Amino acid sequence: MSFDDDPGRGGGDPADDRFSTLGGTRQTRTRLPESTGDPYGSTRRPQRGSRSLVMVVGVVVLLVAAIAFANRGGDSGSSPDGQSPKKPDAQSTAASGTKPVGGKQGGIASGFAQTEQGAQSAAVNYLVALGSDGMYSTGRRHEIVATVYAPDVAAARQGDLDRAYSGKDFLTRIGLNPDGTAPAGQTFISRFNPVGSKADKFDGATATVSVWYSALFGLAGEGSKNPVSESWFTNTFQLKWTGGDWKITDFTQKDGPAPVGRDQAAAPAKDMSDAVEQYGGFTYAR
């Protein structure tokens, strides 16, 4: 099954596409009114009703749908055993001061402790890797999948993700070349920025961890038709302890919670490109 075979998606403008969260358990339709405006040329934050931002919302939906497509499963609204998720305490995402790991595998933090904090740190680091622009390069994508997924599910996930990310129509819609690279003069930005995490379930051998994050996605550069935008999501990861580390067996995704955006000036294309090249990513811990 290819990404384009997803029965939840419609044709036409990406903004009108529906995306299926893990096999159609929940669908979201994005509809915004049209108006004029230049996301990069405006002196104030562009209005959400602009046609450009309609396109942006559509391509971010496609990004999230690509990941969700390869991880279809049950309803994201409850834990796998049907029980209500544990309510976190006020300190659930407070910094502990403990460095999460000292090693890396495939350029991704690895060797997490077999503790609740270790499971949270693993989930957050794996989220960052799965949301990176490396997922659009076949070789790098295979490295990421082999590192973050449990061995018994990695092969199946790799096949699904290859079909989702390599589809010509999908890459065209988000403005990339057929090989997943950005057009000349533009910078492709795909970053997931975790805000907090919580352990919904932990028993030492398995863990369920939810991560709330913002996503930056789009093309920065003069003439970009898919300017960089920000969206908010929550991913819930199913992890198991295997081979001396935490690995993903499945995950679900849902929208938000999204804060109210400030009325700030949109950054010029060059400033956005420079920022992504100058500011590297982080290794996260609870």
Side-chain angles (χ1 to χ4, degrees):
M1 179 176 179
S2 70
F3 177 69
D4 285 330
D5 292 331
D6 184 349
R9 294 180 61 242
D13 192 323
D16 287 331
D17 289 343
R18 293 184 179 187
F19 69 93
S20 172
T21 302
L22 306 161
T25 57
R26 183 173 64 83
Q27 292 184 330
T28 299
R29 179 179 290 276
T30 303
R31 290 188 181 277
L32 296 175
E34 296 183 0
S35 67
T36 60
D38 179 2
Y40 284 129
S42 175
T43 58
R44 297 175 64 82
R45 183 185 180 93
Q47 295 297 312
R48 292 180 59 85
S50 72
R51 185 172 184 82
S52 294
L53 286 192
V54 170
M55 178 70 75
V56 170
V57 172
V59 297
V60 173
V61 163
L62 287 171
L63 167 69
V64 177
I67 298 175
F69 168 80
N71 292 275
R72 49 194 180 277
D75 190 343
S76 61
S78 62
S79 57
D81 57 8
Q83 299 178 0
S84 298
K86 179 180 70 176
K87 183 177 180 180
D89 58 50
Q91 298 300 314
S92 61
T93 55
S96 68
T98 302
K99 188 174 181 179
V101 292
K104 287 189 176 184
Q105 178 183 351
I108 302 168
S110 63
F112 297 95
Q114 193 175 2
T115 62
E116 186 174 297
Q117 177 179 320
Q120 290 190 51
S121 295
V124 172
N125 279 278
Y126 296 164
L127 170 88
V128 172
L130 288 169
S132 70
D133 57 5
M135 291 295 289
Y136 295 81
S137 165
T138 301
R140 181 59 182 148
R141 181 170 61 249
H142 290 178
E143 275 190 316
I144 293 171
V145 171
T147 299
V148 307
Y149 279 101
D152 56 342
V153 301
R157 291 295 181 260
Q158 179 173 297
D160 289 339
L161 286 165
D162 280 346
R163 287 187 290 273
Y165 279 86
S166 300
K168 182 178 179 181
D169 181 63
F170 173 68
L171 295 173
T172 299
R173 280 173 175 264
I174 61 178
L176 297 179
N177 297 321
D179 62 355
T181 59
Q186 298 188 4
T187 301
F188 176 51
I189 299 172
S190 179
R191 280 195 187 181
F192 287 0
N193 308 294
V195 174
S197 65
K198 64 185 179 76
D200 300 312
K201 182 179 179 182
F202 179 82
D203 64 14
T206 62
T208 302
V209 177
S210 294
V211 184
W212 178 37
Y213 64 99
S214 66
L216 295 178
F217 185 80
L219 285 164
E222 297 299 333
S224 171
K225 295 181 180 179
N226 299 320
V228 180
S229 68
E230 179 186 45
S231 298
W232 291 80
F233 304 97
T234 299
N235 281 14
T236 299
F237 292 89
Q238 307 302 322
L239 305 169
K240 75 175 181 180
W241 185 257
T242 178
D245 209 350
W246 291 106
K247 299 294 180 182
I248 300 171
T249 57
D250 199 4
F251 74 85
T252 60
Q253 161 272 320
K254 65 180 182 180
D255 290 346
V260 175
R262 286 187 59 192
D263 191 11
Q264 291 181 290
K270 186 178 185 305
D271 286 358
M272 186 64 69
S273 298
D274 289 347
V276 126
E277 292 169 357
Q278 294 170 7
Y279 294 90
F282 292 95
T283 295
Y284 292 88
R286 189 186 66 80

